[in-house]
Amino acid sequence: LTPFKFKSLDQVKVPNVVGQTMASANQILTAAGFKVTFGASIATSIQSQDGKVAAQSPAAGQPAAKGETVTLTPFKFKG
């Protein structure tokens, strides 16, 4: 018999960082044990959203293994 490691034991819920600044989101996810990458930006006409997280993948609350990559999609103000 070979030992079997249950992947679910190594998983945690992905924190919700939508609406956070990119720097804050990166810090939260890194502290939770995830790697972070940045996707293409989404245009917004609301200047206060510029540089904030528009979306994340995997979504908040989804189980994911520590060390897994979370992709953040930022808003980019287009005035």
Side-chain angles (χ1 to χ4, degrees):
L1 292 172
T2 46
F4 182 77
K5 186 176 181 182
F6 288 98
K7 193 169 176 81
S8 62
L9 297 177
D10 298 321
Q11 293 188 339
V12 294
K13 288 186 178 180
V14 177
N16 182 10
V17 295
V18 172
Q20 300 281 336
T21 64
M22 294 299 283
S24 178
N26 189 18
Q27 185 177 21
I28 291 166
L29 292 166
T30 301
F34 296 103
K35 295 177 184 173
V36 179
T37 189
F38 305 101
S41 61
I42 295 176
T44 180
S45 60
I46 303 169
Q47 191 168 7
S48 64
Q49 289 181 331
D50 188 46
K52 292 186 178 175
V53 179
Q56 67 181 74
S57 179
Q62 293 297 309
K66 286 190 175 187
E68 198 169 307
T69 300
V70 177
T71 301
L72 301 178
T73 303
F75 279 118
K76 179 70 178 168
F77 176 66
K78 305 279 187 190

